[in-house]
Amino acid sequence: MNWEAIYPLIGFLIIIFLVGAWAGKRVKSSDNFLQEYFLGERSLGGFVLAMTMTATYGSASSFIGGPGIAYNEGLGWVLLAMSQVVTGYFVLMILGKKFAIVTLKYKAVTMVDFLKERYQSKWVVLFSAISIIVFLFSAMAAQWIGGARLIESLTGMNYTSALFIFAASVLFYVTIGGFRAVALTDAIQGSIMFLGTLILLIATIIAGGGLSNIMADLNAENPNLITPYGAEGNLTPTYVSSFWILVGVGVVALPQIAVRAMSYKNSQSMHRAIIIGTIVVGFIMLNMHLIGVLARPILPGIEVGDKVMPLIALEVLPTWLAGIVLTAPMAAIMSTVDSLLILVSSSIVKDVYLNYMQPEASHQRIKRISISVTAVLGIIVFLMALNPPELIIWLNLFAFGGLEAAFIWPIVMGLYWRKGNKYGALASMIVGVGLYVFFDVFYPEPLGMHSVVLPTVLAFFAYVGASLMTQKRVMSN
Amino acid sequence: MHKDDYRNKIANREALIGVGLVIFNFIWWYAFAYGLGNKDPSEYTYVFGLPAWFFYSCVLGFVVMAVLVTIIVTKYFVNVPFDDEGEGK
């Protein structure tokens, strides 16, 4: 066991526990359990809001997977990753004040509550809740596996114990503390991600003998590594640009992100969050992926991309500092998982149970059910991650794109276009998700773009078309 | 009702600003990356040790966006109350 690297990890977990326990007290004393547990009573300030958005969005792929691909593809992959800077300002600007005002008026707790009030349709609600539960459940399982693998590689524990530690920590603070615990721990985790990135960047540049030196080494190995076109020259501008939809503007429609756009205190918090969020997200995305490229001449020949980030940290930093820096990806994974957990739980409790099964449930009962659903969900994910079923892995591939294709127009058009109605929303969701899965399976990358682009465009026409065609029908009701 | 109208106007305007920023961001990113990067790597020029296309598109592009967002939000974004008057608990 590598104790010097383990101490920082233990310290990190203790801090997270304390925050969770503190938030748990707030949950106990709150007189509006649902608003507190699933939305933190709309009290987030600018810094926490920015950090929780960034940290929820920045996941295993930003810290482990992404740098690994950048290691193999070169600067072209950093260019692609930079499409994510957009998320820092676009989400809050587009959903913006309108979303906050409307969701407050509707007394919405989840994104689906908004859709329910806006479209007044059982089918829209059920379809949304089911997509959220299915897609995000799979995404969550995939992230847990990543978290456990990371602990495994850092500490030398076996996979099962690593997974157990990871699961127990997340479950503890999410179950008792709810959304507030998630947001506050996200703020800590986001700060760790930011600092970890900064330290590792500086150390890597120094270890490589300066940027010019590293670029010269890369150029000598394969000149393609320093072009925008990828190591094999097959990253076309069209393909790279299409990621602006998947990981850029489309992020607006991810429920775990959108719900945050209704959780802040006032418009000052929102303004501050836009500024902080843009800086933090851009800094992390640019530099983590750049580190992946810079690592190549320092540690050539790493075969498994996911190991690049842990290995380079251990190579260029003293062990104790590497331990601290490596809590960053841990933080990234945890901060994504906790948000997904609370969101899936809210979807089951609020969107399905309270809406259609037991609308009259008492305060005590809601409380008990919310906490048990969260805990049971966590345990199911744990069991699945022990031996991940193929279906989960397959579904995870579609998770983000699928949710984006489903929700982007029902949310955005629902906010800004009065004529949009439930038929439009349903048509748009079915066309978006259906075509996305269809294209990805049978005809991947149509027109050289990521498979999510075309279904998203077509879903727009489905929304507008179906809304206009049913205009009379809705009027006469 | 009148109150809603004035807030909607602000919200709509700010959403459009968001769209405008994304378009600007995309053009900046694309033009520098593929404008300067589309030649043989041996002809590349370098800024602070990084290939010029990468420096201008990704590094400077990020800084420009961060500055632009800060200026626009502080100068042009308006504070509004979210709850209707008298409706708070």
Side-chain angles (χ1 to χ4, degrees):
Chain A
M1 297 263 250
N2 194 348
W3 283 104
E4 256 184 286
I6 293 175
Y7 287 132
L9 197 64
I10 298 176
F12 167 70
L13 290 178
I14 292 176
I15 296 175
I16 298 294
F17 274 142
L18 293 177
V19 172
W22 182 81
K25 271 197 184 150
R26 291 289 295 258
V27 170
K28 268 206 184 117
S29 64
S30 166
D31 53 0
N32 191 340
F33 177 79
L34 277 178
Q35 288 276 348
E36 166 65 34
Y37 194 71
F38 292 125
L39 209 50
E41 282 187 334
R42 302 177 185 264
S43 60
L44 301 192
F47 177 76
V48 174
L49 176 62
M51 283 308 196
T52 186
M53 289 196 109
T54 309
T56 298
Y57 180 63
S59 63
S61 74
S62 339
F63 277 81
I64 304 284
I69 304 176
Y71 177 90
N72 288 318
E73 290 285 359
L75 292 179
W77 200 260
V78 188
L79 179 71
L80 184 148
M82 285 311 278
S83 54
Q84 300 175 88
V85 178
V86 177
T87 59
Y89 57 92
F90 188 69
V91 174
L92 280 175
M93 284 186 181
I94 281 292
L95 298 178
K97 287 163 187 159
K98 198 130 184 184
F99 200 55
I101 294 166
V102 171
T103 54
L104 191 67
K105 195 158 75 191
Y106 293 164
K107 298 201 166 47
V109 174
T110 63
M111 191 189 92
V112 178
D113 279 342
F114 162 73
L115 297 174
K116 175 171 177 258
E117 287 296 323
R118 172 66 179 79
Y119 295 109
Q120 302 287 343
S121 154
K122 187 179 177 176
W123 291 109
V124 169
V125 172
L126 286 179
F127 190 86
S128 317
I130 291 169
S131 344
I132 289 179
I133 294 167
V134 170
F135 281 130
L136 287 188
F137 189 82
S138 331
M140 189 155 56
Q143 293 279 330
W144 287 50
I145 297 167
R149 290 257 159 79
L150 187 71
I151 298 189
E152 189 186 16
S153 70
L154 276 181
T155 62
M157 273 178 216
N158 66 37
Y159 177 74
T160 312
S161 352
L163 183 67
F164 182 78
I165 292 187
F166 183 80
S169 339
V170 173
L171 266 180
F172 172 79
Y173 71 81
V174 178
T175 306
I176 67 163
F179 187 85
R180 187 185 300 275
V182 170
L184 288 178
T185 51
D186 280 2
I188 299 172
Q189 287 153 347
S191 312
I192 294 176
M193 286 153 67
F194 187 85
L195 288 177
T197 306
L198 179 66
I199 296 172
L200 190 58
L201 176 71
I202 297 172
T204 309
I205 293 176
I206 294 173
L211 283 174
S212 311
N213 207 359
I214 298 175
M215 290 302 139
D217 288 343
L218 288 169
N219 192 7
E221 191 205 327
N222 173 2
N224 280 339
L225 289 169
I226 60 167
T227 68
Y229 301 104
E232 311 287 329
N234 51 12
L235 292 178
T236 64
T238 317
Y239 181 72
V240 174
S241 301
S242 70
F243 275 75
W244 279 66
I245 304 290
L246 181 71
V247 295
V249 296
V251 171
V252 161
L254 294 180
Q256 70 270 35
I257 301 291
V259 73
R260 283 165 166 65
M262 52 198 252
S263 67
Y264 48 91
K265 203 168 13 181
N266 50 33
S267 55
Q268 285 90 334
S269 321
M270 174 207 166
H271 295 167
R272 200 166 309 140
I274 292 176
I275 297 172
I276 301 174
T278 307
I279 295 171
V280 174
V281 104
F283 182 85
I284 291 176
M285 294 306 167
L286 171 62
N287 292 312
M288 272 324 297
H289 291 84
L290 186 57
I291 288 168
V293 179
L294 302 180
R296 195 175 174 91
I298 303 171
L299 282 178
I302 300 176
E303 306 237 321
V304 181
D306 284 359
K307 290 195 172 157
V308 170
M309 156 77 188
L311 287 177
I312 190 74
L314 288 166
E315 168 77 20
V316 301
L317 293 169
T319 315
W320 63 272
L321 192 56
I324 294 177
V325 166
L326 287 174
T327 54
M330 196 66 215
I333 296 173
M334 268 194 180
S335 58
T336 303
V337 166
D338 59 10
S339 317
L340 296 183
L341 183 58
I342 197 77
L343 193 92
V344 175
S345 165
S346 74
S347 223
I348 294 176
V349 175
K350 183 74 178 60
D351 302 336
V352 179
Y353 178 79
L354 281 177
N355 277 344
Y356 299 112
M357 289 161 71
Q358 193 60 267
E360 300 300 319
S362 71
H363 187 87
Q364 270 309 317
R365 196 178 162 83
I366 294 177
K367 202 163 171 174
R368 245 202 345 265
I369 288 193
S370 307
I371 292 179
S372 9
V373 165
T374 312
V376 170
L377 264 178
I379 293 165
I380 299 176
V381 184
F382 171 75
L383 294 176
M384 287 213 163
L386 274 182
N387 192 2
E390 291 285 322
L391 178 68
I392 291 283
I393 296 178
W394 186 77
L395 278 171
N396 174 51
L397 295 178
F398 297 105
F400 282 13
L403 289 168
E404 290 173 9
F407 290 126
I408 189 161
W409 303 117
I411 297 180
V412 174
M413 296 296 276
L415 280 175
Y416 294 100
W417 192 47
R418 215 171 279 175
K419 287 184 180 160
N421 63 28
K422 61 181 173 183
Y423 302 105
L426 264 183
S428 169
M429 288 183 184
I430 293 168
V431 166
V433 178
L435 282 185
Y436 176 48
V437 174
F438 172 82
F439 273 125
D440 212 75
V441 173
F442 297 106
Y443 186 56
E445 293 171 24
L447 313 176
M449 296 180 291
H450 188 279
S451 312
V452 80
V453 178
L454 214 51
T456 306
V457 173
L458 294 172
F460 174 78
F461 291 111
Y463 186 97
V464 175
S467 293
L468 288 178
M469 273 191 290
T470 54
Q471 206 69 87
K472 277 199 185 121
R473 207 161 143 185
V474 176
M475 293 292 216
S476 61
N477 275 343
Chain B
M1 219 40 223
H2 282 292
K3 203 173 166 204
D4 261 356
D5 288 344
Y6 104 90
R7 288 188 305 180
N8 275 343
K9 226 181 197 166
I10 292 172
N12 292 349
R13 197 186 63 155
E14 291 176 1
L16 284 177
I17 292 179
V19 175
L21 277 172
V22 169
I23 293 171
F24 173 81
N25 193 349
F26 179 79
I27 292 172
W28 181 291
W29 170 92
Y30 191 98
F32 277 112
Y34 298 106
L36 293 176
N38 186 19
K39 51 187 163 193
D40 196 86
S42 58
E43 295 168 26
Y44 278 176
T45 50
Y46 292 82
V47 183
F48 293 117
L50 293 163
W53 72 264
F54 182 79
F55 178 80
Y56 289 118
S57 170
C58 296
V59 182
L60 190 67
F62 162 50
V63 175
V64 165
M65 283 318 293
V67 172
L68 202 60
V69 165
T70 309
I71 294 173
I72 286 179
V73 168
T74 40
K75 284 235 155 129
Y76 299 104
F77 274 46
V78 187
N79 282 315
V80 298
F82 290 152
D83 51 350
D84 296 322
E85 263 171 333
E87 225 220 335
K89 297 187 280 190

